[in-house]
Amino acid sequence: RQRVTENLRKVVTLGCRALHYTGHGLPNSLVFEDGKGGCHMLGARDLKGLFGAGGHAGRQRVKFVFVAACHSEAAGRAFVEAGVQHVIAVRLEEKVADQSPTIFMNQFYLALLVGHTIREAFEIGQNAVHGSPDIYAKADSTKFLLLPERGANHDVTIFDDLLPGDIQDLSPPRPPTNLYAVPEGFLGRNYEVHRVMHELIGRNSHRLVTLAGPEGIGKTSAALAAAHYLNQRAFFPDGILYVDLPQARREAAMTATTAS
């Protein structure tokens, strides 16, 4: 789901057993989206308030929180202060390689789902990162924290009462689209992509946005990147359609020639 604070509050209100955040972290805040393609920095104090509001009903159902972000210790401790008994975060002064949380998460959640305790699953995740052939990930194994360090019993299971069956993905389906993939190596154009989205869905949005410039500078790629971002977040529920106008004109001309 889109990382907006509204979704965080919604899942806590509705009740969930596990809460997982993957994104960017700073020493005293987590980065959320503002719903318009922009950045929303949520500090540890505000995070605690947002999560802890409304009493214990929703919070008691949240058994653990995983904050998969660099420098996320302060955010993790905010969840602990709000009443979560088991929190995994990254040390305040540390960054981790992009692949390290993925390695950790794959083994951690697998261990939880087959009946291991939180502590056992945490150690399994740590050792999976340490045993990785990736030299950048290998050094990250000690950067993960299991909070709180004192006064909590992490020798408990979380999913031991799950019934056998297939895992179901209940995420809402993405709107239909025929978009091409963004070309590999499309880097360094975040500003242009954000500008396109701002013109389409920002406060002063426009129904038509034109990208102009010399041939080959990446206009189509920037448009595709913006369109994929918007489609992933279902800004246009009916879908996003890609039309290659030069190709469409050629096909129309061929059809007319054939018909005549």
Side-chain angles (χ1 to χ4, degrees):
R1 284 182 175 272
Q2 189 178 358
R3 292 189 302 268
V4 294
T5 54
E6 179 184 355
N7 285 337
L8 171 61
R9 184 58 248 182
K10 184 184 296 184
V11 296
V12 175
T13 299
L14 294 176
C16 63
R17 193 176 307 197
L19 181 64
H20 183 101
Y21 170 95
T22 294
H24 294 290
L26 296 173
N28 291 300
S29 60
L30 294 179
V31 179
F32 286 78
E33 296 178 18
D34 64 359
K36 296 292 185 181
C39 174
H40 175 201
M41 309 295 295
L42 190 66
R45 181 181 298 178
D46 291 334
L47 180 64
K48 176 184 174 182
L50 181 68
F51 181 83
H56 296 282
R59 298 201 309 270
Q60 287 181 337
R61 291 193 288 270
V62 180
K63 301 300 182 183
F64 81 92
V65 173
F66 194 139
V67 192
C70 298
H71 313 296
S72 56
E73 182 178 347
R77 295 193 185 282
F79 281 113
V80 171
E81 293 173 7
V84 181
Q85 298 178 18
H86 316 285
V87 178
I88 294 176
V90 175
R91 294 183 186 277
L92 184 65
E93 68 279 5
E94 299 287 2
K95 295 191 296 184
V96 291
D98 289 343
Q99 60 272 29
S100 298
T102 301
I103 298 170
F104 187 101
M105 289 185 295
N106 286 342
Q107 299 304 319
F108 172 79
Y109 282 115
L110 176 62
L112 280 187
L113 288 170
V114 299
H116 283 281
T117 67
I118 287 282
R119 189 184 305 279
E120 291 169 344
F122 179 80
E123 293 172 353
I124 289 171
Q126 275 190 315
N127 281 280
V129 175
H130 183 74
S132 168
D134 190 304
I135 60 173
Y136 297 103
K138 190 179 185 71
D140 289 341
S141 62
T142 60
K143 297 179 182 179
F144 294 91
L145 291 170
L146 179 57
L147 304 172
E149 300 95 330
R150 298 183 181 88
N153 177 21
H154 297 305
D155 297 313
V156 295
T157 57
I158 298 294
F159 298 120
D160 57 324
D161 59 342
L162 293 183
L163 298 176
D166 296 330
I167 296 176
Q168 297 183 38
D169 184 358
L170 300 181
S171 302
R174 290 183 182 177
T177 185
N178 65 337
L179 292 171
Y180 296 149
V182 178
E184 290 187 21
F186 180 75
L187 301 172
R189 306 297 294 275
N190 291 341
Y191 174 79
E192 289 80 6
V193 173
H194 180 265
R195 181 69 183 274
V196 172
M197 294 188 298
H198 178 75
E199 296 295 333
L200 286 169
I201 62 174
R203 181 173 299 177
N204 299 313
S205 60
H206 302 86
R207 298 183 63 185
L208 175 63
V209 176
T210 303
L211 304 186
E215 183 177 356
I217 65 169
K219 300 185 297 296
T220 300
S221 296
L224 283 171
H228 275 289
Y229 183 99
L230 296 171
N231 194 65
Q232 290 168 357
R233 290 153 178 80
F235 277 102
F236 301 104
D238 293 330
I240 295 178
L241 179 65
Y242 177 86
V243 178
D244 186 332
L245 293 180
Q247 180 66 25
R249 287 196 292 266
R250 287 193 294 268
E251 291 180 356
M254 291 176 59
T255 301
T257 301
T258 303
S260 61

